């Protein structure tokens, strides 16, 4: 492939753009993972992650992608044939359902239209009906990356409490941690799963868990097979500053740097920045007279915006044109949304001028594709940013 001048715009909802500081931090000699230097690294990243998850409990790091985190979560707290309640919010929710079924769990899926988050009222009803408390766990995706719709976890917690149900609450925060407000302890989540390649600004390769005391108790009794992902083995090693097997040392160097960057910016400022850039993106989409996939005003994602392609226009062809002409990668429509939407990622190491370039590429791409739309989305977004410091 011939050289394409200028910087590539990686505007996926993960992997996100990896900042220079993180790249530099990773490009040093790997150290002995059983040596004297290692415990300081382990301690630093676990402490930093605790503050991002907003938990004082145990946090674990695996060399895995987010899907490994799903598997690890299920296998640590559940036993074969136990009942799990899950919600069809989009492709990733269904991916987790598939993982649970492969482990022989009895999964009930609440159907959804892929245009909103999981419904707390429906959950409360289902849990209230479950008088014998057969449902062991409720598992939801916080930010459904395939649709750009967020499930309000505080509402899910409230529904479980209202129903006085003892189910464990498991949350996939893989594409939201570090970018959308998330409160593991306050919402009494039992297992939260996250990954490195989104809001944490790292390359793919690390999965994270935050786990509650209840989840740890459940794991002592749970009988699904687990080895590599066993919390108990990991916890014993971590308490001494090490890992039970070879960790992804250079990704941990990167993680240490990324956590320092989030702290320097101020984590609340990081969340505010994501909210602001996401709102500006939605202003542009509205001005283009296009529709977002998410139809619920309170559930729009601050990580990505999924835009519906007008009838007769293919999202993948549009993305290919934007890539060829402007050296920018946009997210594809996944599963049943293939070709029907495109997704604009605005997550991680991202600022106003990067957003301006991203939206300009989309607007020029729409014009070149002869998609019916109204011009002026970029201008609307820029005006909104100036008016809303
Ligand atoms: N869950 C969500 C919400 C995701 O966005 C993704 C990936 O984008 C996954 C799970 C799967 O993670 P991975 O591709 O890192 O295995």
């Amino acid at each position: 492939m011939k050289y394409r001048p200028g910087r590539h715009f990686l505007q996926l909802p993960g992997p996100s753009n990896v900042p220079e500081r993180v790249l530099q931090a990773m490009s040093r000699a790997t150290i002995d993972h059983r040596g004297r230097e290692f415990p300081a690294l382990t301690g630093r990243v676990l402490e930093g992650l605790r503050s991002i998850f907003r938990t004082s409990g145990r946090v674990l790091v695996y060399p895995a992608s987010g899907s490994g985190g799903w598997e690890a979560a299920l296998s640590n707290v559940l036993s074969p044939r136990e009942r799990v309640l899950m919600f069809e919010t989009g492709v990733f929710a269904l991916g987790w359902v598939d993982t649970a079924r492969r482990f022989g769990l009895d999964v009930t899926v609440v159907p959804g239209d892929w245009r909103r988050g999981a419904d707390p009222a429906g959950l409360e009803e289902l849990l209230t009906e479950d008088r014998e408390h057969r449902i062991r766990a409720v598992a939801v995706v916080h930010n459904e990356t395939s649709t750009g719709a967020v499930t309000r976890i505080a509402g899910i917690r409230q529904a479980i409490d209202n129903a006085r149900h003892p189910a464990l609450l498991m949350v996939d925060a893989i594409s939201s941690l570090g970018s959308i407000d998330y409160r593991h302890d306050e919402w009494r989540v039992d297992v939260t799963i996250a990954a490195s390649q989104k809001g944490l600004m790292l390359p793919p390769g690390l999965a994270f868990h935050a786990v509650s005391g209840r989840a740890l108790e459940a794991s002592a009794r749970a009988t699904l097979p687990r080895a590599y992902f066993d919390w108990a083995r990991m916890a014993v090693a971590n308490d001494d500053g090490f890992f039970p097997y070879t960790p992804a040392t250079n990704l941990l160097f990167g993680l240490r740097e990324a956590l320092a960057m989030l702290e320097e910016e101020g984590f609340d400022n990081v969340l505010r920045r994501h909210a602001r850039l996401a709102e500006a993106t939605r202003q542009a989409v509205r001005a283009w007279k296009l529709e977002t996939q998410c139809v619920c005003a309170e559930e729009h994602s601050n990580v990505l915006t999924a835009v519906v392609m007008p009838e007769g226009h293919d999202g993948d062809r549009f993305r290919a044109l934007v890539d060829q002409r402007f050296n920018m990668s946009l997210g594809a429509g996944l599963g049943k949304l293939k070709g029907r939407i495109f997704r604009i990622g605005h997550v991680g190491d991202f600022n106003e001028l990067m957003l301006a370039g991203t939206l300009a590429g989309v607007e020029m791409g729409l014009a070149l594709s002869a998609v019916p739309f109204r011009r002026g989305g970029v201008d609307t977004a820029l005006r909104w940013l100036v008016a809303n410091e």
Side-chain angles (χ1 to χ4, degrees):
M1 219 159 58
K2 75 175 194 278
Y3 176 66
R4 303 166 85 190
R7 187 173 132 319
H8 177 66
F9 272 60
L10 185 70
Q11 296 320 133
L12 309 174
S16 62
N17 293 289
V18 180
E20 195 58 35
R21 261 176 74 173
V22 170
L23 291 171
Q24 293 286 348
M26 289 189 302
S27 71
R28 53 165 288 203
T30 303
I31 57 171
D32 174 5
H33 61 284
R34 304 197 196 281
R36 275 184 304 141
E37 236 187 292
F38 215 83
L41 175 62
T42 305
R44 173 68 184 95
V45 297
L46 293 180
E47 174 206 300
L49 284 170
R50 267 195 290 275
S51 77
I52 304 295
F53 275 109
R54 300 199 202 264
T55 182
S56 56
R58 188 171 284 284
V59 168
L60 303 100
V61 180
Y62 294 107
S65 79
S67 308
W70 281 341
E71 176 167 335
L74 298 168
S75 65
N76 271 286
V77 296
L78 296 167
S79 300
R81 292 177 298 285
E82 280 189 328
R83 187 163 295 176
V84 184
L85 191 60
M86 302 175 99
F87 293 82
E88 184 199 352
T89 50
V91 162
F92 292 105
L94 291 182
W96 201 9
V97 166
D98 177 60
T99 306
R101 289 197 167 133
R102 285 165 188 258
F103 271 86
L105 294 163
D106 175 6
V107 184
T108 302
V109 181
V110 180
D113 65 0
W114 297 34
R115 302 205 77 165
R116 60 200 87 226
D119 169 32
L123 171 63
E124 183 175 334
E125 208 173 305
L126 287 166
L127 292 178
T128 307
E129 280 165 15
D130 179 36
R131 290 198 187 80
E132 291 162 22
H133 294 165
R134 305 256 324 271
I135 297 168
R136 268 300 278 152
V138 171
V140 287
V141 174
H142 182 214
N143 181 64
E144 177 51 79
T145 327
S146 64
T147 67
V150 171
T151 288
R152 285 165 286 171
I153 304 300
I156 296 292
R157 174 76 265 165
Q158 191 63 52
I160 299 173
D161 290 352
N162 291 350
R164 297 177 189 280
H165 199 288
L168 294 167
L169 174 56
M170 304 171 80
V171 179
D172 167 343
I174 288 172
S175 62
S176 56
L177 191 81
S179 310
I180 302 177
D181 190 26
Y182 190 82
R183 297 161 185 269
H184 178 86
D185 283 2
E186 187 181 318
W187 297 336
R188 284 179 288 122
V189 180
D190 292 297
V191 188
T192 302
I193 306 145
S196 54
Q197 74 271 25
K198 318 263 187 183
L200 292 177
M201 308 181 291
L202 292 160
L206 296 178
F208 310 109
H209 279 180
V211 299
S212 70
R214 274 184 82 216
L216 289 170
E217 279 165 34
S219 81
R221 290 188 305 269
T223 59
L224 275 177
R226 55 194 195 259
Y228 186 76
F229 288 126
D230 188 11
W231 285 344
R233 280 179 74 203
M234 182 68 93
V236 167
N238 279 178
D239 287 347
D240 291 331
F242 297 103
F243 285 77
Y245 37 72
T246 315
T249 304
N250 288 51
L251 282 171
L252 296 179
F253 291 150
L255 176 59
R256 177 167 61 187
E257 191 65 23
L259 290 166
M261 290 164 70
L262 294 173
E263 284 162 19
E264 282 169 35
E265 185 177 350
F267 195 49
D268 289 339
N269 295 331
V270 172
L271 300 181
R272 255 197 302 279
R273 171 167 57 81
H274 279 82
R276 209 164 155 266
L277 298 177
E279 179 54 36
T281 305
R282 293 191 290 271
Q283 293 280 337
V285 175
R286 238 169 268 143
W288 288 327
K289 294 257 184 242
L290 296 176
E291 205 186 321
T292 55
Q293 176 66 16
C294 174
V295 288
C296 181
E298 309 87 70
E299 294 179 343
H300 281 300
S301 171
N302 291 340
V303 160
L304 76 139
T305 302
V307 183
V308 178
M309 283 306 272
E311 208 51 48
H313 292 267
D314 182 74
D316 288 341
R317 212 169 310 140
F318 167 72
R319 287 189 318 106
L321 180 139
V322 169
D323 181 24
Q324 274 161 19
R325 285 296 309 267
F326 306 117
N327 197 9
M328 174 161 74
S329 297
L330 295 168
L334 301 173
K336 71 177 185 185
L337 296 176
K338 181 171 166 44
R340 294 177 49 196
I341 62 166
F342 64 90
R343 296 173 300 146
I344 305 170
H346 30 75
V347 52
D349 190 43
F350 194 58
N351 66 21
E352 291 171 338
L353 293 190
M354 292 162 86
L355 178 68
T358 302
L359 295 177
V362 172
E363 187 160 328
M364 288 191 285
L366 291 169
L368 288 168
S369 313
V371 168
F373 81 110
R374 192 176 68 178
R375 285 172 195 257
V378 175
D379 190 45
T380 302
L382 301 189
R383 282 169 193 270
W384 187 89
L385 285 169
V386 169
N388 293 274
E389 268 302 311

